[in-house]
Amino acid sequence: SLPFATSSVSAIPTVVPTLPEYQTSTETGNRTLWVVMVIMLVASIVFTGMAWNIPVSKRLYHIVTTMITIFATLSYFAMAAGHGIGYHHVVERESHKHVPDTTKDVYRQVYWARYVDWSLTTPLLLLDLCLLAGLNGGNIFIAIVADVIMILTGLFAAFGSEDTAQKWGWYAIACIAYLVVIWQLAYHGRATAMAKGGKVGKFFAAIGGFTLVIWTVYPIIWGIADGSRNMNVDQEIIAYAVLDVLAKPIFGAWLLFTHQSMPETNIDIGGFWSEGLKGEG
Ligand code: RET
């Protein structure tokens, strides 16, 4: 007779661990990352070209916007090459009717390179918008610091243990910080832009509204993909890819081409930008 047929049932553990599952990107996701890297690189070259014949004193938007796509090129290169990736560990417990419960270790890829990118590029995007609006230094500083808090607490949320109060606590803090950013831009920014006159006011409302819509999709995708894992890693890569292309190269091209044909958007931030600080003598 078979030996296990007579063995005691009580010897079977109540929770049986099964093989770990790795949730990773596939060929589709990786190809998407390379494509976006190339788009960011091309945008960086185009934006640099647009600055070529413009005096340094009038190049501020060009410099800020080109830095944004250069950072994105670097972070997409890292992600496509398989760097800047961590694994978020989740223990999934499954209960069954007739056999003991099972647990499974799940390791999902988290591209932390994104957060490095965002912590540098979202402040620069905000700087572009704040300069366009003509916002004062105090409001710009608050918007940028709130934005950095949003990204870094978002990073903590991404690696936090699933279904814990802490993870969603970090997410909530990030959302509050995002509201502060929106407040600075939509309230103070819009008011100052409108005060600059009709043309700039209208352009700020348009590009600011576009930014608000695109940016608000990020925490939604995050909740579906990183928060509740209802989207696989490839789908997450594609969703962020579409958003990133809209938020950086499309935003940048819109800003720089409009700036070229709308002298009212020129900004004078003093001689420091083009000449440096002068001594007293
Ligand atoms: C996170 C998760 C935590 C809650 C919130 C988030 C917001 C992220 C945003 C990102 C914007 C990124 C951009 C990238 C440019 O290419 C960190 C996803 C509120 C608004 C514009």
Side-chain angles (χ1 to χ4, degrees):
S1 65
L2 296 166
F4 55 79
T6 57
S7 67
S8 162
V9 173
S10 64
I12 297 174
T14 51
V15 176
V16 181
T18 52
L19 284 174
E21 178 190 329
Y22 293 89
Q23 298 181 347
T24 63
S25 65
T26 69
E27 196 57 38
T28 312
N30 289 334
R31 208 168 285 154
T32 308
L33 292 170
W34 284 115
V35 169
V36 177
M37 190 214 96
V38 172
I39 295 174
M40 295 298 179
L41 182 61
V42 170
S44 305
I45 294 166
V46 171
F47 296 162
T48 305
M50 288 176 78
W52 215 255
N53 291 319
I54 293 175
V56 174
S57 60
K58 295 218 168 96
R59 264 189 208 165
L60 188 48
Y61 291 120
H62 298 78
I63 291 173
V64 172
T65 308
T66 308
M67 283 176 176
I68 293 167
T69 52
I70 287 176
F71 279 132
T73 310
L74 294 173
S75 102
Y76 268 93
F77 180 53
M79 295 190 289
H83 293 168
I85 306 171
Y87 286 84
H88 177 211
H89 176 216
V90 185
V91 181
E92 272 183 2
R93 193 187 173 112
E94 285 160 355
S95 37
H96 308 282
K97 261 200 171 145
H98 304 293
V99 289
D101 285 1
T102 50
T103 60
K104 187 166 62 178
D105 286 306
V106 177
Y107 296 90
R108 183 187 169 103
Q109 284 184 327
V110 175
Y111 288 78
W112 54 258
R114 288 190 194 291
Y115 297 86
V116 177
D117 170 334
W118 294 349
S119 66
L120 297 166
T121 57
T122 54
L124 291 170
L125 287 162
L126 289 178
L127 185 59
D128 262 342
L129 287 171
C130 290
L131 291 170
L132 176 66
L135 215 52
N136 66 49
N139 287 119
I140 296 180
F141 195 58
I142 292 172
I144 287 180
V145 170
D147 177 84
V148 172
I149 290 174
M150 170 185 86
I151 301 299
L152 296 183
T153 52
L155 174 62
F156 293 158
F159 280 101
S161 304
E162 209 160 73
D163 297 325
T164 58
Q166 293 94 311
K167 186 184 182 85
W168 293 101
W170 286 122
Y171 183 79
I173 294 169
C175 289
I176 294 166
Y178 181 43
L179 293 178
V180 175
V181 174
I182 295 176
W183 173 254
Q184 292 302 326
L185 270 288
Y187 184 77
H188 295 299
R190 194 163 49 152
T192 24
M194 290 300 176
K196 272 178 128 185
K199 267 193 165 174
V200 177
K202 267 194 200 135
F203 177 48
F204 180 82
I207 199 164
F210 171 79
T211 302
L212 179 64
V213 172
I214 305 289
W215 283 41
T216 303
V217 184
Y218 281 87
I220 297 171
I221 297 296
W222 190 98
I224 302 170
D226 301 84
S228 55
R229 290 185 295 116
N230 283 317
M231 203 186 254
N232 68 37
V233 176
D234 277 351
Q235 290 165 334
E236 176 186 342
I237 289 173
I238 293 167
Y240 283 136
V242 172
L243 292 174
D244 285 348
V245 170
L246 291 169
K248 289 185 177 112
I250 301 292
F251 169 93
W254 189 7
L255 178 70
L256 294 183
F257 280 109
T258 308
H259 173 53
Q260 238 173 21
S261 61
M262 197 190 282
E264 293 87 343
T265 58
N266 286 350
I267 40 173
D268 175 14
I269 61 159
F272 167 64
W273 186 252
S274 47
E275 279 131 43
L277 292 176
K278 305 258 185 314
E280 288 244 8

